[in-house]
Amino acid sequence: MTKKITSFFTSTKSESDAALTPAVTKKREAPAVANDEGANFQEVKKPKVADKDKKKDSVDGNGNDNSPTSSTQMQPHEALFSLIEDEEWSTALRQYTSKSSSFKTLAEFVERERKTKTVYPAPEDVFSLFNYTPLSSVKVVIVGQDPYHQPGQGHGLSFSVRKNIQIPPSLRNIYKEAMSDVGITKPSHGYLKGWADQGVFMLNAVLTVRRGEADSHKNKGWEKFTDEVIRILDKNNSGIVFLLWGKKALVKCERINKSKHTIITSSHPSPLGATKTNEPFIGSKCFSRCNEALVAKGKEPIDWHITG
């Protein structure tokens, strides 16, 4: 299911700080009509798009569709939620996103931020992990913190970056451990969609961030949303392996039912902690231990190799 989102995500500031001018929809007035309480209102008729050429004219230089559509009437929380295209996740999260005051406040905040700041990842990538990995397909959960905050890096999967982007230090350590543990070939890029396609759900606690400002969208409502995601995974699935790297990830998942799922913990793969604590990430053999747990539950192991 694919929807066009316009008003909620059209930014007035791109990476080059160029201002964007939103399209203006003119209202066509009709004679006032009294409602059943005696109050008057004006009937507003939507303009019609005559042909595809007019539709193309409404697309701005950044690819944002500014033409008037039904999505312009969405509330911010409805527009944000509509970016979850996977039916299973959409069904599972619909009640929370429609009833939660926290999610509504969060959506309004992100809308304001996108109008005046550069926010990552792009709107269409915020929920890419949900769209890549349906609820029933999740076999492994990796918990990160917030998205990368430099241009072109984050695309909705924790620790992952696009192919033409330099591999970040934490991901280099992840690869180092995977090469030692399960013998993967040294990767040439940091794009982890291949893991997502196999059921590895790479969730950040916070799903958006302001350019150049780590934790800038912390405590705005994302944490409650991702708590609900983890609750849904815990309740609806069984035999998931949770790879919890660092204290924050462990605290985030402290309510997971350990009789249903497998918890594998270590320090964070960051250079600051990868070799520290009583459970250092380097040498943890978390990838082989993950696969052993999956096989014990009758599930296919993950091929940790990075291809492409």
Side-chain angles (χ1 to χ4, degrees), residues 140 142 173-174 177-178 180-182 195 241-245 262-267 269 280-294 302 304:
V140 180
I142 296 175
N173 279 335
I174 291 171
E177 180 60 21
S180 172
D181 182 21
V182 291
W195 291 2
V241 178
F242 286 83
L243 297 180
L244 305 181
W245 300 334
T262 300
I263 311 294
I264 297 175
T265 63
S266 74
S267 65
F281 176 79
I282 299 298
S284 66
K285 298 189 180 298
C286 57
F287 300 104
S288 60
R289 291 164 62 194
C290 174
N291 279 350
E292 289 169 2
L294 290 174
I302 303 299
W304 297 106

PDB file of all heavy atoms in Angstrom, residues 140 142 173-174 177-178 180-182 195 241-245 262-267 269 280-294 302 304:
ATOM      1  N   VAL A 140      15.094 -11.927  14.422  1.00  0.00           N
ATOM      2  CA  VAL A 140      16.171 -11.339  15.219  1.00  0.00           C
ATOM      3  C   VAL A 140      15.883  -9.858  15.387  1.00  0.00           C
ATOM      4  O   VAL A 140      15.435  -9.195  14.442  1.00  0.00           O
ATOM      5  CB  VAL A 140      17.539 -11.524  14.530  1.00  0.00           C
ATOM      6  CG1 VAL A 140      18.662 -10.906  15.373  1.00  0.00           C
ATOM      7  CG2 VAL A 140      17.826 -12.993  14.255  1.00  0.00           C
ATOM      8  N   ILE A 142      17.765  -6.286  16.625  1.00  0.00           N
ATOM      9  CA  ILE A 142      18.949  -5.536  17.038  1.00  0.00           C
ATOM     10  C   ILE A 142      18.485  -4.134  17.410  1.00  0.00           C
ATOM     11  O   ILE A 142      17.782  -3.482  16.632  1.00  0.00           O
ATOM     12  CB  ILE A 142      19.997  -5.473  15.911  1.00  0.00           C
ATOM     13  CG1 ILE A 142      20.522  -6.877  15.584  1.00  0.00           C
ATOM     14  CG2 ILE A 142      21.153  -4.548  16.293  1.00  0.00           C
ATOM     15  CD1 ILE A 142      21.475  -6.929  14.398  1.00  0.00           C
ATOM     16  N   ASN A 173      33.166  -2.436  13.603  1.00  0.00           N
ATOM     17  CA  ASN A 173      33.368  -3.429  14.663  1.00  0.00           C
ATOM     18  C   ASN A 173      32.368  -4.580  14.559  1.00  0.00           C
ATOM     19  O   ASN A 173      32.700  -5.730  14.869  1.00  0.00           O
ATOM     20  CB  ASN A 173      33.273  -2.762  16.033  1.00  0.00           C
ATOM     21  CG  ASN A 173      34.561  -2.067  16.428  1.00  0.00           C
ATOM     22  OD1 ASN A 173      35.648  -2.429  15.952  1.00  0.00           O
ATOM     23  ND2 ASN A 173      34.468  -1.071  17.300  1.00  0.00           N
ATOM     24  N   ILE A 174      31.147  -4.273  14.128  1.00  0.00           N
ATOM     25  CA  ILE A 174      30.160  -5.334  13.897  1.00  0.00           C
ATOM     26  C   ILE A 174      30.678  -6.288  12.828  1.00  0.00           C
ATOM     27  O   ILE A 174      30.623  -7.522  12.977  1.00  0.00           O
ATOM     28  CB  ILE A 174      28.800  -4.723  13.485  1.00  0.00           C
ATOM     29  CG1 ILE A 174      28.176  -3.977  14.679  1.00  0.00           C
ATOM     30  CG2 ILE A 174      27.846  -5.796  12.976  1.00  0.00           C
ATOM     31  CD1 ILE A 174      26.945  -3.160  14.330  1.00  0.00           C
ATOM     32  N   GLU A 177      33.592  -8.498  14.152  1.00  0.00           N
ATOM     33  CA  GLU A 177      33.150  -9.637  14.946  1.00  0.00           C
ATOM     34  C   GLU A 177      32.506 -10.709  14.059  1.00  0.00           C
ATOM     35  O   GLU A 177      32.726 -11.906  14.261  1.00  0.00           O
ATOM     36  CB  GLU A 177      32.170  -9.177  16.016  1.00  0.00           C
ATOM     37  CG  GLU A 177      31.631 -10.285  16.906  1.00  0.00           C
ATOM     38  CD  GLU A 177      32.708 -11.031  17.690  1.00  0.00           C
ATOM     39  OE1 GLU A 177      33.817 -10.469  17.865  1.00  0.00           O
ATOM     40  OE2 GLU A 177      32.444 -12.176  18.119  1.00  0.00           O
ATOM     41  N   ALA A 178      31.724 -10.287  13.067  1.00  0.00           N
ATOM     42  CA  ALA A 178      31.086 -11.256  12.176  1.00  0.00           C
ATOM     43  C   ALA A 178      32.117 -12.008  11.333  1.00  0.00           C
ATOM     44  O   ALA A 178      31.963 -13.207  11.076  1.00  0.00           O
ATOM     45  CB  ALA A 178      30.083 -10.549  11.267  1.00  0.00           C
ATOM     46  N   SER A 180      35.186 -12.683  12.285  1.00  0.00           N
ATOM     47  CA  SER A 180      35.862 -13.607  13.197  1.00  0.00           C
ATOM     48  C   SER A 180      34.943 -14.742  13.625  1.00  0.00           C
ATOM     49  O   SER A 180      35.370 -15.899  13.728  1.00  0.00           O
ATOM     50  CB  SER A 180      36.353 -12.836  14.423  1.00  0.00           C
ATOM     51  OG  SER A 180      36.848 -13.710  15.426  1.00  0.00           O
ATOM     52  N   ASP A 181      33.688 -14.426  13.842  1.00  0.00           N
ATOM     53  CA  ASP A 181      32.743 -15.386  14.425  1.00  0.00           C
ATOM     54  C   ASP A 181      32.153 -16.346  13.399  1.00  0.00           C
ATOM     55  O   ASP A 181      32.177 -17.572  13.598  1.00  0.00           O
ATOM     56  CB  ASP A 181      31.625 -14.604  15.128  1.00  0.00           C
ATOM     57  CG  ASP A 181      30.609 -15.500  15.810  1.00  0.00           C
ATOM     58  OD1 ASP A 181      30.928 -16.664  16.101  1.00  0.00           O
ATOM     59  OD2 ASP A 181      29.484 -15.025  16.062  1.00  0.00           O
ATOM     60  N   VAL A 182      31.613 -15.807  12.312  1.00  0.00           N
ATOM     61  CA  VAL A 182      30.929 -16.666  11.338  1.00  0.00           C
ATOM     62  C   VAL A 182      31.574 -16.637   9.960  1.00  0.00           C
ATOM     63  O   VAL A 182      31.017 -17.154   8.989  1.00  0.00           O
ATOM     64  CB  VAL A 182      29.428 -16.293  11.225  1.00  0.00           C
ATOM     65  CG1 VAL A 182      28.694 -16.673  12.501  1.00  0.00           C
ATOM     66  CG2 VAL A 182      29.245 -14.802  10.925  1.00  0.00           C
ATOM     67  N   TRP A 195      20.159  -8.300   5.557  1.00  0.00           N
ATOM     68  CA  TRP A 195      19.793  -8.862   6.869  1.00  0.00           C
ATOM     69  C   TRP A 195      18.299  -8.664   7.122  1.00  0.00           C
ATOM     70  O   TRP A 195      17.621  -9.582   7.593  1.00  0.00           O
ATOM     71  CB  TRP A 195      20.601  -8.197   7.973  1.00  0.00           C
ATOM     72  CG  TRP A 195      22.065  -8.527   7.992  1.00  0.00           C
ATOM     73  CD1 TRP A 195      22.739  -9.331   7.106  1.00  0.00           C
ATOM     74  CD2 TRP A 195      23.029  -8.064   8.944  1.00  0.00           C
ATOM     75  NE1 TRP A 195      24.068  -9.393   7.445  1.00  0.00           N
ATOM     76  CE2 TRP A 195      24.273  -8.633   8.570  1.00  0.00           C
ATOM     77  CE3 TRP A 195      22.970  -7.241  10.054  1.00  0.00           C
ATOM     78  CZ2 TRP A 195      25.448  -8.389   9.289  1.00  0.00           C
ATOM     79  CZ3 TRP A 195      24.138  -6.983  10.772  1.00  0.00           C
ATOM     80  CH2 TRP A 195      25.359  -7.559  10.395  1.00  0.00           C
ATOM     81  N   VAL A 241      15.367 -13.889  18.636  1.00  0.00           N
ATOM     82  CA  VAL A 241      16.658 -13.665  19.291  1.00  0.00           C
ATOM     83  C   VAL A 241      16.884 -12.159  19.372  1.00  0.00           C
ATOM     84  O   VAL A 241      16.914 -11.470  18.344  1.00  0.00           O
ATOM     85  CB  VAL A 241      17.812 -14.328  18.520  1.00  0.00           C
ATOM     86  CG1 VAL A 241      19.142 -14.035  19.215  1.00  0.00           C
ATOM     87  CG2 VAL A 241      17.593 -15.832  18.410  1.00  0.00           C
ATOM     88  N   PHE A 242      17.018 -11.639  20.585  1.00  0.00           N
ATOM     89  CA  PHE A 242      17.297 -10.221  20.804  1.00  0.00           C
ATOM     90  C   PHE A 242      18.794 -10.040  21.020  1.00  0.00           C
ATOM     91  O   PHE A 242      19.349 -10.565  21.999  1.00  0.00           O
ATOM     92  CB  PHE A 242      16.519  -9.698  22.012  1.00  0.00           C
ATOM     93  CG  PHE A 242      15.052  -9.515  21.764  1.00  0.00           C
ATOM     94  CD1 PHE A 242      14.177 -10.598  21.855  1.00  0.00           C
ATOM     95  CD2 PHE A 242      14.526  -8.277  21.430  1.00  0.00           C
ATOM     96  CE1 PHE A 242      12.822 -10.442  21.624  1.00  0.00           C
ATOM     97  CE2 PHE A 242      13.171  -8.112  21.191  1.00  0.00           C
ATOM     98  CZ  PHE A 242      12.309  -9.202  21.295  1.00  0.00           C
ATOM     99  N   LEU A 243      19.449  -9.335  20.094  1.00  0.00           N
ATOM    100  CA  LEU A 243      20.858  -8.985  20.244  1.00  0.00           C
ATOM    101  C   LEU A 243      20.923  -7.600  20.879  1.00  0.00           C
ATOM    102  O   LEU A 243      20.654  -6.592  20.223  1.00  0.00           O
ATOM    103  CB  LEU A 243      21.563  -8.989  18.880  1.00  0.00           C
ATOM    104  CG  LEU A 243      21.617 -10.335  18.158  1.00  0.00           C
ATOM    105  CD1 LEU A 243      22.338 -10.187  16.811  1.00  0.00           C
ATOM    106  CD2 LEU A 243      22.309 -11.391  19.006  1.00  0.00           C
ATOM    107  N   LEU A 244      21.241  -7.568  22.144  1.00  0.00           N
ATOM    108  CA  LEU A 244      21.207  -6.324  22.915  1.00  0.00           C
ATOM    109  C   LEU A 244      22.635  -5.877  23.196  1.00  0.00           C
ATOM    110  O   LEU A 244      23.323  -6.436  24.052  1.00  0.00           O
ATOM    111  CB  LEU A 244      20.415  -6.527  24.213  1.00  0.00           C
ATOM    112  CG  LEU A 244      18.995  -7.068  24.008  1.00  0.00           C
ATOM    113  CD1 LEU A 244      18.279  -7.201  25.354  1.00  0.00           C
ATOM    114  CD2 LEU A 244      18.195  -6.187  23.053  1.00  0.00           C
ATOM    115  N   TRP A 245      23.058  -4.867  22.461  1.00  0.00           N
ATOM    116  CA  TRP A 245      24.434  -4.378  22.519  1.00  0.00           C
ATOM    117  C   TRP A 245      24.472  -3.089  23.326  1.00  0.00           C
ATOM    118  O   TRP A 245      24.063  -2.038  22.875  1.00  0.00           O
ATOM    119  CB  TRP A 245      24.963  -4.128  21.114  1.00  0.00           C
ATOM    120  CG  TRP A 245      24.976  -5.373  20.250  1.00  0.00           C
ATOM    121  CD1 TRP A 245      25.062  -6.666  20.672  1.00  0.00           C
ATOM    122  CD2 TRP A 245      24.909  -5.423  18.819  1.00  0.00           C
ATOM    123  NE1 TRP A 245      25.067  -7.520  19.592  1.00  0.00           N
ATOM    124  CE2 TRP A 245      24.974  -6.801  18.444  1.00  0.00           C
ATOM    125  CE3 TRP A 245      24.817  -4.457  17.816  1.00  0.00           C
ATOM    126  CZ2 TRP A 245      24.943  -7.206  17.117  1.00  0.00           C
ATOM    127  CZ3 TRP A 245      24.781  -4.868  16.492  1.00  0.00           C
ATOM    128  CH2 TRP A 245      24.849  -6.231  16.149  1.00  0.00           C
ATOM    129  N   THR A 262      15.085 -15.507  23.156  1.00  0.00           N
ATOM    130  CA  THR A 262      16.484 -15.627  23.554  1.00  0.00           C
ATOM    131  C   THR A 262      17.115 -14.241  23.632  1.00  0.00           C
ATOM    132  O   THR A 262      16.979 -13.436  22.701  1.00  0.00           O
ATOM    133  CB  THR A 262      17.270 -16.491  22.556  1.00  0.00           C
ATOM    134  OG1 THR A 262      16.697 -17.795  22.509  1.00  0.00           O
ATOM    135  CG2 THR A 262      18.738 -16.595  22.961  1.00  0.00           C
ATOM    136  N   ILE A 263      17.796 -13.956  24.730  1.00  0.00           N
ATOM    137  CA  ILE A 263      18.468 -12.675  24.924  1.00  0.00           C
ATOM    138  C   ILE A 263      19.976 -12.902  24.894  1.00  0.00           C
ATOM    139  O   ILE A 263      20.507 -13.688  25.691  1.00  0.00           O
ATOM    140  CB  ILE A 263      18.079 -12.017  26.264  1.00  0.00           C
ATOM    141  CG1 ILE A 263      16.557 -12.005  26.455  1.00  0.00           C
ATOM    142  CG2 ILE A 263      18.674 -10.627  26.372  1.00  0.00           C
ATOM    143  CD1 ILE A 263      15.822 -11.139  25.473  1.00  0.00           C
ATOM    144  N   ILE A 264      20.674 -12.218  23.995  1.00  0.00           N
ATOM    145  CA  ILE A 264      22.134 -12.282  23.919  1.00  0.00           C
ATOM    146  C   ILE A 264      22.663 -10.873  24.131  1.00  0.00           C
ATOM    147  O   ILE A 264      22.331  -9.953  23.384  1.00  0.00           O
ATOM    148  CB  ILE A 264      22.604 -12.843  22.569  1.00  0.00           C
ATOM    149  CG1 ILE A 264      22.118 -14.287  22.391  1.00  0.00           C
ATOM    150  CG2 ILE A 264      24.125 -12.780  22.448  1.00  0.00           C
ATOM    151  CD1 ILE A 264      22.432 -14.884  21.031  1.00  0.00           C
ATOM    152  N   THR A 265      23.481 -10.684  25.152  1.00  0.00           N
ATOM    153  CA  THR A 265      23.943  -9.350  25.526  1.00  0.00           C
ATOM    154  C   THR A 265      25.452  -9.213  25.379  1.00  0.00           C
ATOM    155  O   THR A 265      26.197 -10.187  25.432  1.00  0.00           O
ATOM    156  CB  THR A 265      23.547  -9.013  26.970  1.00  0.00           C
ATOM    157  OG1 THR A 265      24.195  -9.931  27.864  1.00  0.00           O
ATOM    158  CG2 THR A 265      22.047  -9.108  27.168  1.00  0.00           C
ATOM    159  N   SER A 266      25.870  -7.970  25.190  1.00  0.00           N
ATOM    160  CA  SER A 266      27.298  -7.628  25.151  1.00  0.00           C
ATOM    161  C   SER A 266      27.402  -6.125  25.306  1.00  0.00           C
ATOM    162  O   SER A 266      26.381  -5.416  25.346  1.00  0.00           O
ATOM    163  CB  SER A 266      27.942  -8.077  23.834  1.00  0.00           C
ATOM    164  OG  SER A 266      27.536  -7.237  22.777  1.00  0.00           O
ATOM    165  N   SER A 267      28.625  -5.618  25.327  1.00  0.00           N
ATOM    166  CA  SER A 267      28.813  -4.169  25.304  1.00  0.00           C
ATOM    167  C   SER A 267      28.451  -3.642  23.916  1.00  0.00           C
ATOM    168  O   SER A 267      28.231  -4.415  22.970  1.00  0.00           O
ATOM    169  CB  SER A 267      30.257  -3.816  25.641  1.00  0.00           C
ATOM    170  OG  SER A 267      31.143  -4.298  24.635  1.00  0.00           O
ATOM    171  N   PRO A 269      29.000  -2.010  20.235  1.00  0.00           N
ATOM    172  CA  PRO A 269      30.108  -2.145  19.277  1.00  0.00           C
ATOM    173  C   PRO A 269      30.878  -0.860  19.000  1.00  0.00           C
ATOM    174  O   PRO A 269      31.858  -0.880  18.241  1.00  0.00           O
ATOM    175  CB  PRO A 269      29.405  -2.639  18.005  1.00  0.00           C
ATOM    176  CG  PRO A 269      27.993  -2.207  18.145  1.00  0.00           C
ATOM    177  CD  PRO A 269      27.691  -2.273  19.613  1.00  0.00           C
ATOM    178  N   PRO A 280      32.393  -7.954  26.623  1.00  0.00           N
ATOM    179  CA  PRO A 280      32.775  -7.120  25.478  1.00  0.00           C
ATOM    180  C   PRO A 280      32.159  -7.616  24.177  1.00  0.00           C
ATOM    181  O   PRO A 280      31.984  -8.820  23.973  1.00  0.00           O
ATOM    182  CB  PRO A 280      34.297  -7.236  25.447  1.00  0.00           C
ATOM    183  CG  PRO A 280      34.599  -8.525  26.132  1.00  0.00           C
ATOM    184  CD  PRO A 280      33.543  -8.678  27.194  1.00  0.00           C
ATOM    185  N   PHE A 281      31.835  -6.674  23.302  1.00  0.00           N
ATOM    186  CA  PHE A 281      31.248  -7.049  22.021  1.00  0.00           C
ATOM    187  C   PHE A 281      32.231  -7.878  21.200  1.00  0.00           C
ATOM    188  O   PHE A 281      31.860  -8.912  20.636  1.00  0.00           O
ATOM    189  CB  PHE A 281      30.835  -5.797  21.240  1.00  0.00           C
ATOM    190  CG  PHE A 281      30.315  -6.097  19.871  1.00  0.00           C
ATOM    191  CD1 PHE A 281      29.012  -6.542  19.692  1.00  0.00           C
ATOM    192  CD2 PHE A 281      31.122  -5.962  18.749  1.00  0.00           C
ATOM    193  CE1 PHE A 281      28.531  -6.856  18.424  1.00  0.00           C
ATOM    194  CE2 PHE A 281      30.657  -6.268  17.484  1.00  0.00           C
ATOM    195  CZ  PHE A 281      29.360  -6.712  17.324  1.00  0.00           C
ATOM    196  N   ILE A 282      33.470  -7.402  21.107  1.00  0.00           N
ATOM    197  CA  ILE A 282      34.485  -8.147  20.366  1.00  0.00           C
ATOM    198  C   ILE A 282      34.782  -9.446  21.110  1.00  0.00           C
ATOM    199  O   ILE A 282      35.159  -9.439  22.274  1.00  0.00           O
ATOM    200  CB  ILE A 282      35.774  -7.318  20.191  1.00  0.00           C
ATOM    201  CG1 ILE A 282      35.484  -6.032  19.404  1.00  0.00           C
ATOM    202  CG2 ILE A 282      36.849  -8.149  19.504  1.00  0.00           C
ATOM    203  CD1 ILE A 282      34.978  -6.257  17.991  1.00  0.00           C
ATOM    204  N   GLY A 283      34.561 -10.523  20.424  1.00  0.00           N
ATOM    205  CA  GLY A 283      34.751 -11.832  21.043  1.00  0.00           C
ATOM    206  C   GLY A 283      33.477 -12.429  21.622  1.00  0.00           C
ATOM    207  O   GLY A 283      33.509 -13.530  22.180  1.00  0.00           O
ATOM    208  N   SER A 284      32.357 -11.738  21.472  1.00  0.00           N
ATOM    209  CA  SER A 284      31.091 -12.219  22.051  1.00  0.00           C
ATOM    210  C   SER A 284      30.491 -13.386  21.274  1.00  0.00           C
ATOM    211  O   SER A 284      29.635 -14.102  21.796  1.00  0.00           O
ATOM    212  CB  SER A 284      30.068 -11.078  22.095  1.00  0.00           C
ATOM    213  OG  SER A 284      29.705 -10.673  20.782  1.00  0.00           O
ATOM    214  N   LYS A 285      30.902 -13.555  20.017  1.00  0.00           N
ATOM    215  CA  LYS A 285      30.351 -14.604  19.142  1.00  0.00           C
ATOM    216  C   LYS A 285      28.819 -14.527  19.067  1.00  0.00           C
ATOM    217  O   LYS A 285      28.116 -15.546  19.007  1.00  0.00           O
ATOM    218  CB  LYS A 285      30.793 -15.993  19.604  1.00  0.00           C
ATOM    219  CG  LYS A 285      32.306 -16.206  19.552  1.00  0.00           C
ATOM    220  CD  LYS A 285      32.675 -17.645  19.815  1.00  0.00           C
ATOM    221  CE  LYS A 285      34.186 -17.843  19.751  1.00  0.00           C
ATOM    222  NZ  LYS A 285      34.725 -17.525  18.397  1.00  0.00           N
ATOM    223  N   CYS A 286      28.335 -13.307  19.068  1.00  0.00           N
ATOM    224  CA  CYS A 286      26.877 -13.115  19.100  1.00  0.00           C
ATOM    225  C   CYS A 286      26.191 -13.629  17.840  1.00  0.00           C
ATOM    226  O   CYS A 286      25.026 -14.062  17.895  1.00  0.00           O
ATOM    227  CB  CYS A 286      26.543 -11.647  19.344  1.00  0.00           C
ATOM    228  SG  CYS A 286      27.253 -10.497  18.148  1.00  0.00           S
ATOM    229  N   PHE A 287      26.873 -13.609  16.723  1.00  0.00           N
ATOM    230  CA  PHE A 287      26.238 -14.036  15.471  1.00  0.00           C
ATOM    231  C   PHE A 287      26.068 -15.553  15.403  1.00  0.00           C
ATOM    232  O   PHE A 287      25.002 -16.042  15.009  1.00  0.00           O
ATOM    233  CB  PHE A 287      27.048 -13.519  14.279  1.00  0.00           C
ATOM    234  CG  PHE A 287      27.151 -12.020  14.248  1.00  0.00           C
ATOM    235  CD1 PHE A 287      28.324 -11.379  14.623  1.00  0.00           C
ATOM    236  CD2 PHE A 287      26.064 -11.240  13.873  1.00  0.00           C
ATOM    237  CE1 PHE A 287      28.419  -9.992  14.613  1.00  0.00           C
ATOM    238  CE2 PHE A 287      26.145  -9.862  13.857  1.00  0.00           C
ATOM    239  CZ  PHE A 287      27.329  -9.234  14.232  1.00  0.00           C
ATOM    240  N   SER A 288      27.073 -16.293  15.802  1.00  0.00           N
ATOM    241  CA  SER A 288      26.936 -17.756  15.810  1.00  0.00           C
ATOM    242  C   SER A 288      25.978 -18.199  16.907  1.00  0.00           C
ATOM    243  O   SER A 288      25.191 -19.136  16.719  1.00  0.00           O
ATOM    244  CB  SER A 288      28.303 -18.421  15.996  1.00  0.00           C
ATOM    245  OG  SER A 288      28.918 -18.032  17.214  1.00  0.00           O
ATOM    246  N   ARG A 289      26.011 -17.540  18.047  1.00  0.00           N
ATOM    247  CA  ARG A 289      25.086 -17.865  19.130  1.00  0.00           C
ATOM    248  C   ARG A 289      23.642 -17.575  18.709  1.00  0.00           C
ATOM    249  O   ARG A 289      22.718 -18.331  19.054  1.00  0.00           O
ATOM    250  CB  ARG A 289      25.438 -17.063  20.387  1.00  0.00           C
ATOM    251  CG  ARG A 289      26.756 -17.485  21.032  1.00  0.00           C
ATOM    252  CD  ARG A 289      27.256 -16.442  22.026  1.00  0.00           C
ATOM    253  NE  ARG A 289      26.331 -16.244  23.135  1.00  0.00           N
ATOM    254  CZ  ARG A 289      26.412 -15.204  23.974  1.00  0.00           C
ATOM    255  NH1 ARG A 289      27.347 -14.263  23.786  1.00  0.00           N
ATOM    256  NH2 ARG A 289      25.554 -15.097  24.966  1.00  0.00           N
ATOM    257  N   CYS A 290      23.449 -16.501  17.967  1.00  0.00           N
ATOM    258  CA  CYS A 290      22.123 -16.169  17.440  1.00  0.00           C
ATOM    259  C   CYS A 290      21.622 -17.297  16.545  1.00  0.00           C
ATOM    260  O   CYS A 290      20.481 -17.765  16.686  1.00  0.00           O
ATOM    261  CB  CYS A 290      22.193 -14.858  16.677  1.00  0.00           C
ATOM    262  SG  CYS A 290      20.668 -14.409  15.813  1.00  0.00           S
ATOM    263  N   ASN A 291      22.451 -17.734  15.618  1.00  0.00           N
ATOM    264  CA  ASN A 291      22.031 -18.788  14.695  1.00  0.00           C
ATOM    265  C   ASN A 291      21.766 -20.111  15.408  1.00  0.00           C
ATOM    266  O   ASN A 291      20.836 -20.850  15.061  1.00  0.00           O
ATOM    267  CB  ASN A 291      23.074 -18.970  13.597  1.00  0.00           C
ATOM    268  CG  ASN A 291      22.929 -17.943  12.493  1.00  0.00           C
ATOM    269  OD1 ASN A 291      21.948 -17.205  12.433  1.00  0.00           O
ATOM    270  ND2 ASN A 291      23.920 -17.886  11.608  1.00  0.00           N
ATOM    271  N   GLU A 292      22.556 -20.408  16.415  1.00  0.00           N
ATOM    272  CA  GLU A 292      22.322 -21.630  17.190  1.00  0.00           C
ATOM    273  C   GLU A 292      20.954 -21.571  17.861  1.00  0.00           C
ATOM    274  O   GLU A 292      20.221 -22.578  17.897  1.00  0.00           O
ATOM    275  CB  GLU A 292      23.426 -21.800  18.243  1.00  0.00           C
ATOM    276  CG  GLU A 292      24.778 -22.179  17.653  1.00  0.00           C
ATOM    277  CD  GLU A 292      25.903 -22.077  18.675  1.00  0.00           C
ATOM    278  OE1 GLU A 292      25.619 -21.749  19.868  1.00  0.00           O
ATOM    279  OE2 GLU A 292      27.069 -22.305  18.307  1.00  0.00           O
ATOM    280  N   ALA A 293      20.593 -20.407  18.394  1.00  0.00           N
ATOM    281  CA  ALA A 293      19.290 -20.253  19.050  1.00  0.00           C
ATOM    282  C   ALA A 293      18.149 -20.382  18.043  1.00  0.00           C
ATOM    283  O   ALA A 293      17.106 -20.983  18.344  1.00  0.00           O
ATOM    284  CB  ALA A 293      19.221 -18.901  19.762  1.00  0.00           C
ATOM    285  N   LEU A 294      18.337 -19.826  16.858  1.00  0.00           N
ATOM    286  CA  LEU A 294      17.301 -19.934  15.831  1.00  0.00           C
ATOM    287  C   LEU A 294      17.090 -21.385  15.406  1.00  0.00           C
ATOM    288  O   LEU A 294      15.955 -21.856  15.298  1.00  0.00           O
ATOM    289  CB  LEU A 294      17.677 -19.086  14.607  1.00  0.00           C
ATOM    290  CG  LEU A 294      17.631 -17.565  14.782  1.00  0.00           C
ATOM    291  CD1 LEU A 294      18.166 -16.875  13.532  1.00  0.00           C
ATOM    292  CD2 LEU A 294      16.217 -17.077  15.091  1.00  0.00           C
ATOM    293  N   ILE A 302      20.496 -17.074  10.047  1.00  0.00           N
ATOM    294  CA  ILE A 302      20.748 -15.887   9.227  1.00  0.00           C
ATOM    295  C   ILE A 302      22.065 -16.048   8.483  1.00  0.00           C
ATOM    296  O   ILE A 302      23.068 -16.493   9.047  1.00  0.00           O
ATOM    297  CB  ILE A 302      20.821 -14.621  10.113  1.00  0.00           C
ATOM    298  CG1 ILE A 302      19.524 -14.448  10.921  1.00  0.00           C
ATOM    299  CG2 ILE A 302      21.089 -13.392   9.259  1.00  0.00           C
ATOM    300  CD1 ILE A 302      18.278 -14.285  10.098  1.00  0.00           C
ATOM    301  N   TRP A 304      24.863 -14.071   7.455  1.00  0.00           N
ATOM    302  CA  TRP A 304      25.362 -12.762   7.843  1.00  0.00           C
ATOM    303  C   TRP A 304      26.249 -12.115   6.786  1.00  0.00           C
ATOM    304  O   TRP A 304      26.705 -10.980   6.968  1.00  0.00           O
ATOM    305  CB  TRP A 304      26.108 -12.858   9.180  1.00  0.00           C
ATOM    306  CG  TRP A 304      25.249 -13.294  10.317  1.00  0.00           C
ATOM    307  CD1 TRP A 304      25.247 -14.511  10.929  1.00  0.00           C
ATOM    308  CD2 TRP A 304      24.260 -12.516  11.017  1.00  0.00           C
ATOM    309  NE1 TRP A 304      24.311 -14.552  11.953  1.00  0.00           N
ATOM    310  CE2 TRP A 304      23.704 -13.336  12.016  1.00  0.00           C
ATOM    311  CE3 TRP A 304      23.784 -11.199  10.882  1.00  0.00           C
ATOM    312  CZ2 TRP A 304      22.707 -12.889  12.890  1.00  0.00           C
ATOM    313  CZ3 TRP A 304      22.790 -10.752  11.740  1.00  0.00           C
ATOM    314  CH2 TRP A 304      22.266 -11.602  12.733  1.00  0.00           C
TER     315      TRP A 304
END
